[in-house]
Amino acid sequence: MIRIGLVGAGRIANVHARTIDAHPNAQLVLVADPYEQAVKQLAEKYQARYSLDPNDVFTDDEVDAVIICSPTPLHVEHILQAAKAGKPALCEKPVAMETAAVEKLVAELSGIEHTTMLGFNRRFDPTFARMHKMVEDGVVGKVEQVTIISRDPAAPPKEYIAVSGGIFKDMTIHDFDTARFFLGDITSVYAIGQNLDPELKDTGDFDGAVITLTNATGATATITNSRHCTSGYDQRLEIFGDQATINADNIRANQVRISNGEFTDAKDVYLDFFLERYEAAYAVELNEFFAAISENRKPATSIEDGAKALRIAEAAEESARTGKVVYL
Amino acid sequence: MIRIGLVGAGRIANVHARTIDAHPNAQLVLVADPYEQAVKQLAEKYQARYSLDPNDVFTDDEVDAVIICSPTPLHVEHILQAAKAGKPALCEKPVAMETAAVEKLVAELSGIEHTTMLGFNRRFDPTFARMHKMVEDGVVGKVEQVTIISRDPAAPPKEYIAVSGGIFKDMTIHDFDTARFFLGDITSVYAIGQNLDPELKDTGDFDGAVITLTNATGATATITNSRHCTSGYDQRLEIFGDQATINADNIRANQVRISNGEFTDAKDVYLDFFLERYEAAYAVELNEFFAAISENRKPATSIEDGAKALRIAEAAEESARTGKVVYL
Amino acid sequence: MIRIGLVGAGRIANVHARTIDAHPNAQLVLVADPYEQAVKQLAEKYQARYSLDPNDVFTDDEVDAVIICSPTPLHVEHILQAAKAGKPALCEKPVAMETAAVEKLVAELSGIEHTTMLGFNRRFDPTFARMHKMVEDGVVGKVEQVTIISRDPAAPPKEYIAVSGGIFKDMTIHDFDTARFFLGDITSVYAIGQNLDPELKDTGDFDGAVITLTNATGATATITNSRHCTSGYDQRLEIFGDQATINADNIRANQVRISNGEFTDAKDVYLDFFLERYEAAYAVELNEFFAAISENRKPATSIEDGAKALRIAEAAEESARTGKVVYL
Amino acid sequence: MIRIGLVGAGRIANVHARTIDAHPNAQLVLVADPYEQAVKQLAEKYQARYSLDPNDVFTDDEVDAVIICSPTPLHVEHILQAAKAGKPALCEKPVAMETAAVEKLVAELSGIEHTTMLGFNRRFDPTFARMHKMVEDGVVGKVEQVTIISRDPAAPPKEYIAVSGGIFKDMTIHDFDTARFFLGDITSVYAIGQNLDPELKDTGDFDGAVITLTNATGATATITNSRHCTSGYDQRLEIFGDQATINADNIRANQVRISNGEFTDAKDVYLDFFLERYEAAYAVELNEFFAAISENRKPATSIEDGAKALRIAEAAEESARTGKVVYL
């Protein structure tokens, strides 16, 4: 039984807590968050202890491993604390807001033996994972063109956007990791930022984006993002290879189709947002984290993956601002 | 070049005329129908001669082959005339309204060498034909259960229903032939007739039906009919075998899908009715007729096929009226 | 918190135990099964007590409600014990193997105030439940024709078939309940039993079936069953009404489509069997049971529902054996 | 009756000849091509006259309108001849290989009253036309992101590539017009050229491409091209607006789905190439040409449309060669 300490008691912490509770080999023992009401409620729901000081999670003897759900600006510090305490850690994306901070972290970690996993949950989504396996099994042949459509159901509040780090670090970061999942390291980035929603004009951030990536073999990835989509959380992926094309479709809450005098075979709108759409992915992600600890091996996603996705995000921002291609 | 004489100048005659006109090996030379306006218009459109006397088609020296689009009560007479005149004939379904009439026809034809094809157009539909080939190629394995959904977009006028011979001979007759196409001869029939449309209550005919057929191997066919369907002409087919299941989907006028805040991936309604849905089938059917003539062989569908489908229709009517299974 | 006692420690008991464990308002406290290894393992997994005597569940003071997962022949006895002990009970289908036994049970229960729910899980499946709501909301209009396709991935062992009560009571019983869910009480039954699998010839049971049901309004339900299906557990449903048609599609483990030189848009095979396909349904079913207890109301499915489905199964058996329609 | 003269007797000329023959208001009277065998065969098939001198088409008194299917280098000359002869002309794309040539043509045409239509057939495809109408009807709302996937089934011979003008002018030119169909004039172009097929390495042309376009409103179009695709001629389109998303799916020769132990709901591969996929589009295109002549109005696609698509193609070529964004 792996005893888990949670740093943070927000939305994603609650998702992880439920998964831990249902997992046969893991147990939630401690939750830490300065926001008393949230941390108390979460801890009580799963019969765990709680603390208002995140540091307690790293020093607690009963905590075997840590899941870091703190705000992004604290990620680097918390990852380092876990590593120094010899506790395996799973950290939500992104590692940090700037590549410089991540490089400093990597340098500091270089002398420490640590198990740190980054929460790029899409790699664990049953659909994307199945596609990756098909690529690895040679079903697709040589990967030539990756097409990622990724649209949120509705824009977040302006307050959120203000501290989000911008669309590329906040939203596209997942798509950059997906592109790397199928293409490996990226060599060029060209991004177009869109400002189409009058409501969001004054945020200084883009509300839509189209990014084109290439890798060293000449394969491409095209990412199309929007902060809004009437039909729900639009998450699609196509891998075109010289032997086959594979596609990931959206998910609905049920399998119903309706046909009437206006239209035929209509389905319900997509699952609304990431907690619903990637519910299974979060569970598989934690499973991988627990398995890596049990088997004493490196987890599937590393800080390096986080650093590289962040670097692409910075390049995309630069490209969208300058209108020039950025080479990595 | 096969020179064609058309008996009848109605809706289906017009469909065939257009196909003949576009066919490289056939030419429309004569159209006969007592209704002058229709026959004149059709003949002129395709630079053919016309006559008000159907008999002229069978005696005309320049007519190599005949397509019979006359009203059903005249089919037997016209088939016989064509056979006696030594002209190959394609006759629209059904052969007749009663099995007795068809048996008499078959007896009269027994001494005459003739090429007569029955217009069961669905066998020539690219989708159904592909499915039949998959069955013949062994892809499906042993056919065990056939499911036919066949619904008209809207009920015909009551005047039509009054002379139609009833839903089983008028509408289901095609589905009976489809069942025979995949199952061979039918041994038992159980039919439920529905009277659900208050508008059609006083026609004496059913407006919906569910028919269950079996063949000698124990395989089944289920036919579900309705005189109305909001989403258009609903024509689906499933063949379940011990190696695979194959399905025929409906056809729309285009490949568009639409997703919005209410529904996702909705398509347009189905092609409205048989002339549109089976447009390709009519062309392939004529092609088979012309090919059979050129190659001096039997066409793919025979009077016997018509007789057997009619026999099932009569059994279905009897079953629906008595509530008892009818064995053939 | 509702404290649950489980009678039985088999496959379905394990499914329910996991759901109880994850449920915020329920707790597993006792499991009883004469088979020691299974009961001990299940109890320990969820930190519950165990007993080798099923009777203990009904007398245990700490058990608030009972879930009956015992073999079918014991259902009647266990339902009665729960009712007498004043403990709400959820019983797996079917209630019994013969209508007579259920009628005796209903008579015995008539004087006792009890909360008994029957485990017709499909009513709780998110897809079927959504369809039912669409019907209730008037989206479909008047229901005219129900088409149920229900095929198992592979035949069970002959030993299982020998004690199963036959295909209609064992497998079709769910489809009969689904038909009642959408059509209400059934008035006529016509069934064809198939013996197509040579392996199962000597079981005395059918390995395929086509059943046609009608209700008092003249609406129909067609059920097509098979003990085998190469593509997995084939569970589809169509409700045709005078305003719309709604369909339930099969479920796969992911949303991947693949296209290559042989075929396009191919998906993975269906989820293999009922535990996977109806995983969500089982959870919603237990939720309804717990909610009915908390709200002190009747659960959504009753012993009467079980009795009526069983009566249809007996009629289907009779019809398949005699070749005659059975009227209820 | 519009009497048509055809310049050219190649593949596309044959497609048009068949459409003309089937059209109620048009008649093929003359075909001209220096290649005697081809022109003779085509003319005889449709009972038309033939000539080995293309100039004859423009001077023939019995020719009311001209369809130009000559090699691209002759387009400008033939368009001009038709205009000077006062004969309406439909010319296959592209107008020319260089913008300079088109500009010279436009200048020369400026003083002449002429009816010239450019054969951008995709605008007439029933699916794309329906999507355009949905956009015009406001169903999609404000168009924000256009995604075009366009892949050929297999690379053409190297000899063809050598004279094709390159992938952007030869293949993507259609997609550039499609982008303009939905976005209007394009303001920036970024293109990545791919050389992934070793067989085509020495052609000097790209075998794949990803192009990103923007218009003045900030909307984007992404075009993904490949010279090969195992599943056939892959032609898809998505229009994402703030009210709805609409998609165009690929077309197969039939509506069959197959499910077995390996996969489910697999369809046949796509129609192999443009003559099959856009068969309906070619017919509607000619219909528009004939209608424009009869109604004495401008046709739906003009030389200006051709010029603008060509200008984008040149910009794409420049961008792909320099790695820089090109602004128009």
Side-chain angles (χ1 to χ4, degrees):
Chain A
M1 189 67 67
I2 303 168
R3 295 167 301 177
I4 305 293
L6 259 180
V7 184
R11 196 164 49 168
I12 190 67
N14 273 272
V15 170
H16 288 324
R18 189 175 49 189
T19 306
I20 296 164
D21 186 57
H23 199 281
N25 303 333
Q27 186 184 1
L28 182 65
V29 293
L30 181 61
V31 191
D33 193 305
Y35 180 40
E36 186 162 9
Q37 195 187 331
V39 73
K40 203 176 157 190
Q41 194 181 344
L42 176 54
E44 282 177 358
K45 188 168 176 183
Y46 297 102
Q47 290 99 43
R49 289 177 290 122
Y50 73 88
S51 160
L52 301 186
D53 182 359
N55 295 320
D56 288 351
V57 170
F58 306 105
T59 55
D60 195 292
D61 282 351
E62 292 189 353
V63 168
D64 299 322
V66 176
I67 298 181
I68 300 169
C69 305
S70 50
T72 300
L74 299 173
H75 283 178
V76 164
E77 178 190 329
H78 288 156
I79 289 172
L80 209 54
Q81 278 188 280
K84 285 179 179 168
K87 296 189 196 298
L90 168 66
C91 181
E92 278 304 309
K93 66 89 209 173
V95 185
M97 286 303 191
E98 280 91 32
T99 291
V102 184
E103 282 173 356
K104 192 152 163 274
L105 170 66
V106 171
E108 294 199 63
L109 285 174
S110 66
I112 309 167
E113 198 165 319
H114 66 101
T115 297
T116 313
M117 175 170 169
L118 205 73
F120 279 130
N121 61 345
R122 294 192 195 174
R123 295 198 182 205
F124 306 103
D125 176 67
T127 294
F128 293 171
R130 171 93 167 96
M131 292 172 84
H132 194 257
K133 185 159 190 321
M134 288 168 109
V135 170
E136 288 201 321
D137 290 351
V139 172
V140 172
K142 188 173 59 171
V143 172
E144 300 191 346
Q145 298 169 330
V146 174
T147 303
I148 301 171
I149 307 272
S150 173
R151 297 178 179 123
D152 284 355
K158 288 185 177 187
E159 300 74 39
Y160 176 88
I161 291 177
V163 299
S164 71
I167 192 169
F168 298 114
K169 288 179 190 170
D170 176 52
M171 181 177 166
T172 327
I173 191 94
H174 274 299
D175 304 312
F176 292 138
D177 185 61
T178 302
R180 288 193 63 249
F181 194 33
F182 287 94
L183 288 187
D185 285 343
I186 297 304
T187 54
S188 82
V189 179
Y190 174 63
I192 295 166
Q194 296 181 297
N195 286 105
L196 298 171
D197 185 346
E199 291 284 315
L200 301 178
K201 272 273 153 67
D202 60 352
T203 58
D205 193 17
F206 304 113
D207 53 47
V210 173
I211 307 106
T212 317
L213 310 173
T214 54
N215 72 2
T217 73
T220 58
T222 311
I223 300 169
T224 302
N225 284 157
S226 177
R227 281 290 194 190
H228 63 93
C229 179
T230 55
S231 36
Y233 187 43
D234 189 9
Q235 297 286 295
R236 284 172 291 153
L237 173 62
E238 170 170 312
I239 311 294
F240 170 74
D242 63 357
Q243 298 303 313
T245 307
I246 50 177
N247 296 75
D249 284 332
N250 281 304
I251 309 186
R252 289 85 172 172
N254 59 61
Q255 315 294 316
V256 180
R257 277 181 291 125
I258 178 166
S259 303
N260 59 30
E262 285 177 75
F263 48 74
T264 56
D265 281 346
K267 299 171 191 168
D268 274 347
V269 294
Y270 315 139
L271 289 179
D272 194 49
F273 214 6
F274 61 96
L275 295 181
E276 294 80 18
R277 167 62 183 84
Y278 291 111
E279 187 183 8
Y282 283 115
V284 179
E285 177 188 297
L286 252 64
N287 208 45
E288 162 65 11
F289 180 52
F290 300 150
I293 294 171
S294 300
E295 298 162 16
N296 201 20
R297 61 165 170 81
K298 279 196 170 303
T301 48
S302 67
I303 291 183
E304 283 67 32
D305 291 317
K308 285 179 172 175
L310 183 62
R311 182 67 197 94
I312 302 173
E314 289 177 339
E317 183 85 27
E318 183 189 339
S319 176
R321 299 285 173 200
T322 63
K324 287 181 181 158
V325 184
V326 176
Y327 299 92
L328 300 178
Chain B
M1 188 68 66
I2 303 168
R3 295 167 302 176
I4 304 294
L6 259 180
V7 184
R11 196 165 49 169
I12 190 68
N14 273 272
V15 170
H16 288 323
R18 190 175 49 190
T19 306
I20 295 164
D21 187 58
H23 200 281
N25 303 332
Q27 187 184 358
L28 182 64
V29 294
L30 181 62
V31 190
D33 193 305
Y35 180 40
E36 186 163 6
Q37 195 187 328
V39 72
K40 203 177 156 187
Q41 195 181 343
L42 175 53
E44 283 177 357
K45 188 169 177 184
Y46 297 102
Q47 290 98 45
R49 289 177 289 122
Y50 74 88
S51 160
L52 301 185
D53 181 0
N55 295 320
D56 288 351
V57 171
F58 305 104
T59 56
D60 195 292
D61 281 351
E62 292 189 352
V63 168
D64 298 322
V66 176
I67 298 181
I68 301 169
C69 304
S70 51
T72 300
L74 298 173
H75 284 178
V76 164
E77 180 190 328
H78 288 156
I79 289 172
L80 209 55
Q81 278 188 279
K84 285 178 177 169
K87 295 189 197 295
L90 167 65
C91 182
E92 278 304 309
K93 66 89 210 169
V95 185
M97 285 305 191
E98 280 91 31
T99 289
V102 184
E103 283 173 355
K104 193 153 161 273
L105 170 66
V106 170
E108 295 198 62
L109 285 174
S110 66
I112 308 168
E113 197 165 319
H114 67 100
T115 297
T116 313
M117 174 170 169
L118 206 72
F120 278 131
N121 60 345
R122 294 192 195 174
R123 295 198 182 205
F124 305 102
D125 176 67
T127 295
F128 294 172
R130 171 93 167 97
M131 292 171 83
H132 194 257
K133 186 159 187 324
M134 289 169 109
V135 170
E136 288 201 322
D137 290 351
V139 172
V140 172
K142 189 173 60 170
V143 173
E144 300 192 347
Q145 297 169 332
V146 174
T147 304
I148 300 170
I149 307 272
S150 173
R151 296 178 179 124
D152 284 355
K158 287 185 178 188
E159 299 73 40
Y160 176 87
I161 291 177
V163 299
S164 71
I167 192 169
F168 298 114
K169 288 179 190 169
D170 176 53
M171 180 177 166
T172 327
I173 192 94
H174 275 300
D175 305 310
F176 292 138
D177 185 62
T178 302
R180 287 192 63 247
F181 194 33
F182 287 94
L183 289 187
D185 285 343
I186 298 304
T187 53
S188 81
V189 180
Y190 175 64
I192 294 167
Q194 296 181 296
N195 287 105
L196 298 170
D197 185 344
E199 292 283 314
L200 301 179
K201 270 275 154 63
D202 59 353
T203 58
D205 193 17
F206 304 114
D207 52 47
V210 173
I211 307 106
T212 318
L213 310 173
T214 56
N215 72 2
T217 73
T220 57
T222 311
I223 300 168
T224 302
N225 285 157
S226 176
R227 281 290 195 188
H228 63 93
C229 178
T230 55
S231 36
Y233 187 42
D234 189 9
Q235 298 285 296
R236 284 171 290 153
L237 173 62
E238 170 170 311
I239 311 294
F240 169 74
D242 63 358
Q243 298 303 315
T245 307
I246 50 177
N247 296 76
D249 283 334
N250 280 305
I251 308 186
R252 287 85 171 171
N254 59 61
Q255 316 293 318
V256 181
R257 276 181 291 125
I258 178 165
S259 304
N260 59 30
E262 286 178 74
F263 48 74
T264 56
D265 281 347
K267 298 172 192 167
D268 274 347
V269 294
Y270 315 137
L271 290 179
D272 193 49
F273 214 5
F274 60 96
L275 294 181
E276 294 80 17
R277 167 63 183 84
Y278 291 111
E279 188 183 8
Y282 283 115
V284 179
E285 177 188 299
L286 252 63
N287 208 45
E288 162 65 10
F289 180 52
F290 300 149
I293 294 172
S294 301
E295 298 162 16
N296 201 21
R297 61 164 171 81
K298 278 195 171 302
T301 47
S302 66
I303 292 184
E304 282 68 32
D305 290 318
K308 286 180 171 173
L310 182 63
R311 183 65 197 96
I312 302 173
E314 289 177 339
E317 183 85 28
E318 183 190 339
S319 177
R321 299 286 174 198
T322 63
K324 287 182 181 159
V325 184
V326 176
Y327 298 93
L328 299 178
Chain C
M1 190 65 70
I2 304 168
R3 296 166 302 176
I4 305 294
L6 259 181
V7 185
R11 195 164 50 167
I12 190 67
N14 272 273
V15 170
H16 288 324
R18 189 175 49 188
T19 306
I20 295 164
D21 187 57
H23 200 281
N25 303 330
Q27 188 184 358
L28 182 64
V29 294
L30 181 61
V31 191
D33 194 305
Y35 180 41
E36 186 162 6
Q37 194 187 330
V39 73
K40 203 176 156 187
Q41 193 181 345
L42 176 53
E44 281 177 358
K45 187 169 178 184
Y46 297 103
Q47 291 97 45
R49 290 177 288 123
Y50 73 88
S51 161
L52 302 185
D53 181 0
N55 295 320
D56 288 350
V57 171
F58 305 104
T59 56
D60 195 293
D61 282 350
E62 291 189 354
V63 168
D64 298 322
V66 175
I67 297 181
I68 301 169
C69 305
S70 51
T72 300
L74 298 173
H75 283 179
V76 164
E77 178 190 329
H78 288 156
I79 289 172
L80 209 55
Q81 277 187 281
K84 286 180 178 167
K87 295 191 197 296
L90 168 65
C91 181
E92 279 303 309
K93 66 89 209 171
V95 185
M97 286 304 192
E98 281 92 31
T99 289
V102 184
E103 282 173 356
K104 191 151 164 275
L105 170 66
V106 170
E108 294 200 64
L109 285 173
S110 67
I112 307 168
E113 198 164 318
H114 67 101
T115 297
T116 313
M117 175 170 168
L118 206 74
F120 278 130
N121 60 345
R122 294 192 196 175
R123 296 197 182 206
F124 306 102
D125 176 66
T127 294
F128 293 172
R130 171 94 168 97
M131 292 172 83
H132 195 256
K133 186 161 187 322
M134 289 169 109
V135 170
E136 287 201 321
D137 290 351
V139 171
V140 172
K142 189 173 60 171
V143 172
E144 299 191 347
Q145 297 170 331
V146 174
T147 304
I148 301 170
I149 307 272
S150 172
R151 298 178 179 123
D152 285 355
K158 288 185 177 187
E159 299 73 40
Y160 175 88
I161 291 177
V163 299
S164 71
I167 193 170
F168 297 114
K169 287 180 191 169
D170 176 53
M171 180 177 167
T172 328
I173 192 93
H174 274 299
D175 305 310
F176 292 138
D177 185 61
T178 301
R180 287 192 64 248
F181 193 33
F182 288 94
L183 289 186
D185 285 343
I186 297 303
T187 54
S188 81
V189 179
Y190 174 64
I192 295 166
Q194 295 181 296
N195 286 107
L196 298 170
D197 185 344
E199 291 284 315
L200 301 177
K201 269 277 154 65
D202 59 353
T203 58
D205 193 17
F206 304 113
D207 53 47
V210 173
I211 307 107
T212 317
L213 310 173
T214 56
N215 73 1
T217 74
T220 57
T222 312
I223 300 167
T224 303
N225 286 156
S226 177
R227 282 289 195 190
H228 63 93
C229 179
T230 54
S231 36
Y233 187 43
D234 189 9
Q235 298 284 296
R236 284 172 291 154
L237 173 62
E238 170 171 311
I239 311 295
F240 170 74
D242 62 358
Q243 298 303 314
T245 307
I246 50 176
N247 296 77
D249 284 334
N250 281 306
I251 308 185
R252 287 87 172 171
N254 60 60
Q255 315 294 316
V256 181
R257 276 181 291 126
I258 179 166
S259 303
N260 58 30
E262 284 177 75
F263 47 74
T264 56
D265 281 346
K267 299 171 191 168
D268 273 348
V269 294
Y270 316 138
L271 290 179
D272 194 48
F273 214 5
F274 61 96
L275 294 181
E276 294 80 16
R277 167 63 184 83
Y278 290 111
E279 186 183 10
Y282 283 114
V284 179
E285 177 188 298
L286 251 63
N287 209 44
E288 162 65 12
F289 179 52
F290 299 150
I293 294 170
S294 299
E295 298 162 16
N296 200 21
R297 61 166 171 82
K298 278 193 171 304
T301 47
S302 66
I303 291 184
E304 282 69 32
D305 291 318
K308 286 179 171 173
L310 183 61
R311 182 68 197 91
I312 302 172
E314 290 177 338
E317 183 86 27
E318 184 190 338
S319 176
R321 299 285 175 200
T322 64
K324 288 183 181 157
V325 185
V326 176
Y327 298 92
L328 299 179
Chain D
M1 189 65 69
I2 304 168
R3 296 167 302 177
I4 304 294
L6 260 181
V7 184
R11 195 164 50 168
I12 190 68
N14 274 273
V15 170
H16 288 323
R18 190 175 51 189
T19 306
I20 295 163
D21 186 58
H23 200 281
N25 303 330
Q27 188 184 358
L28 182 65
V29 294
L30 182 62
V31 191
D33 194 305
Y35 180 41
E36 185 162 9
Q37 194 187 330
V39 73
K40 202 177 156 187
Q41 193 181 346
L42 175 54
E44 282 176 359
K45 187 170 179 184
Y46 297 101
Q47 290 96 45
R49 290 178 289 122
Y50 74 87
S51 161
L52 300 185
D53 181 358
N55 295 319
D56 289 349
V57 171
F58 304 104
T59 56
D60 194 292
D61 282 350
E62 291 189 354
V63 167
D64 299 322
V66 175
I67 298 181
I68 301 169
C69 305
S70 50
T72 300
L74 299 173
H75 284 179
V76 164
E77 178 189 331
H78 288 156
I79 289 172
L80 209 55
Q81 278 187 279
K84 286 179 178 167
K87 295 190 197 296
L90 166 66
C91 182
E92 279 303 309
K93 65 90 209 173
V95 185
M97 284 304 192
E98 280 92 31
T99 289
V102 184
E103 282 172 358
K104 190 151 165 276
L105 170 67
V106 170
E108 295 198 63
L109 285 174
S110 66
I112 309 168
E113 198 165 318
H114 67 100
T115 297
T116 314
M117 175 170 169
L118 206 72
F120 278 131
N121 60 344
R122 295 192 195 175
R123 295 197 182 206
F124 306 101
D125 176 66
T127 294
F128 292 173
R130 171 95 168 96
M131 293 172 83
H132 194 257
K133 186 159 189 322
M134 289 168 109
V135 170
E136 288 201 321
D137 289 351
V139 171
V140 172
K142 189 172 60 171
V143 172
E144 300 191 347
Q145 297 169 331
V146 174
T147 304
I148 300 171
I149 307 272
S150 173
R151 297 179 179 122
D152 284 355
K158 288 186 176 187
E159 299 73 40
Y160 176 89
I161 291 177
V163 299
S164 72
I167 192 169
F168 298 113
K169 287 179 190 169
D170 176 52
M171 180 177 166
T172 328
I173 192 94
H174 275 299
D175 304 311
F176 292 138
D177 184 62
T178 302
R180 287 192 63 247
F181 194 34
F182 288 95
L183 289 186
D185 285 344
I186 298 304
T187 53
S188 82
V189 180
Y190 174 64
I192 294 167
Q194 296 181 297
N195 286 106
L196 298 170
D197 185 345
E199 291 284 314
L200 301 177
K201 270 275 153 67
D202 59 354
T203 59
D205 193 17
F206 304 113
D207 53 47
V210 172
I211 307 107
T212 318
L213 310 173
T214 56
N215 72 3
T217 74
T220 57
T222 311
I223 300 168
T224 302
N225 285 157
S226 177
R227 281 289 194 191
H228 63 92
C229 179
T230 54
S231 36
Y233 186 43
D234 188 9
Q235 297 285 295
R236 283 172 291 151
L237 173 62
E238 170 171 311
I239 312 294
F240 170 74
D242 63 358
Q243 299 301 314
T245 307
I246 50 177
N247 296 76
D249 283 334
N250 280 305
I251 308 186
R252 287 86 172 172
N254 59 61
Q255 316 294 316
V256 181
R257 276 181 290 126
I258 178 165
S259 303
N260 59 30
E262 284 178 76
F263 48 74
T264 56
D265 281 347
K267 298 171 191 167
D268 274 348
V269 294
Y270 315 139
L271 289 180
D272 193 49
F273 213 6
F274 61 96
L275 295 182
E276 294 80 18
R277 167 64 183 82
Y278 292 111
E279 186 183 10
Y282 282 114
V284 179
E285 176 188 298
L286 252 63
N287 209 43
E288 163 65 11
F289 180 52
F290 300 149
I293 294 171
S294 300
E295 299 162 15
N296 201 21
R297 60 164 173 81
K298 279 194 170 304
T301 46
S302 66
I303 291 183
E304 282 67 31
D305 291 318
K308 285 179 171 174
L310 183 62
R311 182 69 197 90
I312 301 173
E314 290 177 340
E317 183 84 27
E318 183 189 339
S319 176
R321 298 286 174 199
T322 64
K324 287 183 182 159
V325 184
V326 176
Y327 299 91
L328 300 178

